[in-house]
Structures are given as C-alpha cells and as structure tokens.
Amino acid sequence: MVVRLATWNVNSLNARMERVESWLVDVAPDVVCLQETKLADGAFPALAFQALGYDSVHHGEGRWNGVAVLSRLGIDDVVCGFGPDAPDPEARLVWATCGGVRVASAYVPNGRALDHDHYRYKLDWMARLLERLKASESADSPVVVAGDFNIAPTDIDVWDPARFTDATHTSAAEREALERLVEWGMVDTFRQQHGEAALYSWWDYRAGSFHKHQGMRIDLVLATPPLARQVRFATIDRNARKGQQPSDHAPVIIDFDI
DNA sequence: ATGGTGGCCCGGCCA
C-alpha cells in the first residue's frame, strides 16, 4: 500500500483554506502535516476536512503558529508539544499515530537573528525535539517528523549561500541541531531521492523570488530508516506556490510503499 | 536600495 504524506506551511489556514481544500482533492494525500495555521483550536475547520475524508488534530494558540495533522488512516495517541510535563509556550508541535506511523507536525522557531533570544529558543527547541525522540520513540519503528524546520540542511538547499553566511536558517549551530536528529536515525527523505538537486520549498513573497528561483529548502520530511527505505516518490509541489494568494511555502510530498 | 510582500488585524509585529 502506498501512503502519501505531505507537509505544508500554509501561512494562515483562514487565508489558505480554499486552496488547501482543492489541493487535497488534487493530490489526495493520506497524511498531511500543516504548519502556521494561525488559528485557535476552536476555529480549526475540522468538519470541512472531515467532509473530504480526513480526521484531524490541531494544536493552536490563535494569532501565531499552530500545527495540525490530517489523516485518512486514523488519528490516535495525540500528544501536543513535547508532552504534558514539558510545556512549550508556543503551539509548534503535535504528534499523532496514523495507520501505524508515528507522525509529528513541527514548526521550528524562526530564530529571527543570531543575537536574538529567539535564536536561543530555536536551538533549545531543536534539542527538546531530539530529547523527545530519544525518550518516546525508536529509530527502528516508523516515525516521521515533518514540517517547517526553518533550517536549510546544507548550502545545496540555499539559492545563494554567500548571502546567508552567519545568518539564521544556515548557521552551523542550527545545522548541527538538525544533524543530531540524523545521528539519532532520521533520514531527510526528499534529499535521499534527489541527490544534489537545487530544489526549494520556500520563497520570499518579495522581489519576485519565486519566479527567479531564489528560495530555500527548509520544509523537511524526516523519517526513520524502516520508512525511509520505502520511499518511492518525492516532490515539492511548486504548483501550489503559483497563482492567487499562495502561501510562501510549497508542500513537500513523499510516497511510502508500506 | 537596510527596501520589497503578505499574514495577523488596524499599529506594529512577525516571517
């Protein structure tokens, strides 16, 4: 059975709902991780997703952040954030088991600037994600952490690395934090399928960046080896970045033969 | 060029 999993930072689900609904029909994913819904839980359109065949769980706070998992393979064992004993002041992580796969939708803090408190929060947040994986998951089991990592794993993932030296998204400490997830067992499934290709998932709204191919690959689907071995197809859906009122991120789509 | 665009929601923050 092929399981199609996607992650998409929608930059406000209210602003994007029409596009998300038509995208769900076109792409027919089985599991979707959403980030930046910018909704309170009570405003999350669970019934509209149910009408399209998706169970869902949302972890939001209102104006900022907000993450969700949609699934037509069931949703079990929901955990918000790093768990009840380790609260996060912001709604950036939600876990659910979907058809036997442990799935997390993650919205890693942006960092803002290397000398900003938010950058320290970002590094701490990545360390907490690793601790949660170590404490609660096994790399021998099917686990996916998918979302907007706000980290470009290598210079290949940046349109102009020279412009992003000593910057957030590319700094050594951020990349090392990501590398620690890889050392634990996580595989960057898109990169596994695409070698050295310069393909991006986010483009700034400004300056025509999308049309000039000036972007970064910061939206990742990390999977443990039992799943990563089963990847059959991986793409970034650039069509979803085109046209009227797009998000500044495109969905990343991975097909697993499970 | 220290901007630019777009989301929150209406002044300023955030990405």
Side-chain angles (χ1 to χ4, degrees):
Chain A
M1 169 177 107
V2 172
V3 170
R4 170 163 289 182
L5 183 145
T7 183
W8 193 5
N9 178 325
V10 294
N11 186 20
S12 168
L13 192 53
N14 263 343
R16 220 64 62 206
M17 190 59 184
E18 271 188 48
R19 289 191 66 128
V20 170
E21 288 182 293
S22 62
W23 176 85
L24 286 171
V25 172
D26 289 346
V27 173
D30 298 294
V31 179
V32 183
C33 296
L34 299 176
Q35 302 86 38
E36 279 207 270
T37 62
K38 298 185 176 178
L39 293 176
D41 289 334
F44 184 74
L47 289 175
F49 291 128
Q50 192 64 252
L52 292 171
Y54 294 91
D55 295 327
S56 61
V57 60
H58 180 257
H59 176 43
E61 59 191 72
R63 186 171 180 182
W64 306 113
N65 310 310
V67 286
V69 178
L70 316 182
S71 170
R72 48 187 196 188
L73 307 176
I75 293 219
D76 297 297
D77 301 319
V78 169
V79 172
C80 292
F82 301 104
D85 301 325
D88 185 343
E90 300 183 340
R92 295 180 172 276
L93 184 65
V94 65
W95 304 78
T97 300
C98 308
V101 178
R102 191 64 174 155
V103 176
S105 178
Y107 177 43
V108 177
N110 174 286
R112 298 181 194 168
L114 297 190
D115 59 356
H116 199 289
D117 286 347
H118 204 255
Y119 180 73
R120 174 46 55 185
Y121 172 53
K122 181 180 197 173
L123 295 178
D124 288 346
W125 201 96
M126 286 294 289
R128 296 179 76 190
L129 176 59
L130 176 62
E131 289 310 306
R132 174 76 199 185
L133 287 170
K134 286 180 174 173
S136 303
E137 310 298 336
S138 163
D140 298 325
S141 301
V143 182
V144 167
V145 179
D148 176 2
F149 281 76
N150 273 313
I151 300 171
T154 75
D155 280 353
I156 298 170
D157 302 301
V158 182
W159 65 277
D160 185 358
R163 291 198 190 199
F164 296 92
T165 54
D166 299 320
T168 62
H169 298 65
T170 62
S171 73
E174 289 165 80
R175 286 175 169 173
E176 284 161 14
L178 190 57
E179 183 59 28
R180 280 178 216 121
L181 301 186
V182 172
E183 287 164 4
W184 177 79
M186 284 302 193
V187 177
D188 179 346
T189 54
F190 183 86
R191 184 55 73 202
Q192 172 185 263
Q193 300 304 112
H194 286 279
E196 307 280 294
L199 296 168
Y200 310 131
S201 65
W202 169 86
W203 302 261
D204 199 304
Y205 283 121
R206 298 167 288 187
S209 299
F210 177 68
H211 302 285
K212 293 188 274 190
H213 194 56
Q214 297 179 345
M216 291 192 196
R217 192 178 66 93
I218 56 177
D219 299 272
L220 309 177
V221 176
L222 304 182
T224 51
L227 283 174
R229 282 194 289 271
Q230 302 304 318
V231 174
R232 296 293 178 264
F233 175 74
T235 196
I236 295 171
D237 185 5
R238 296 179 78 261
N239 285 326
R241 181 63 175 77
K242 300 177 182 175
Q244 295 292 308
Q245 295 176 297
S247 170
D248 46 352
H249 296 252
V252 182
I253 301 168
I254 309 289
D255 286 349
F256 300 92
D257 188 5
I258 298 177

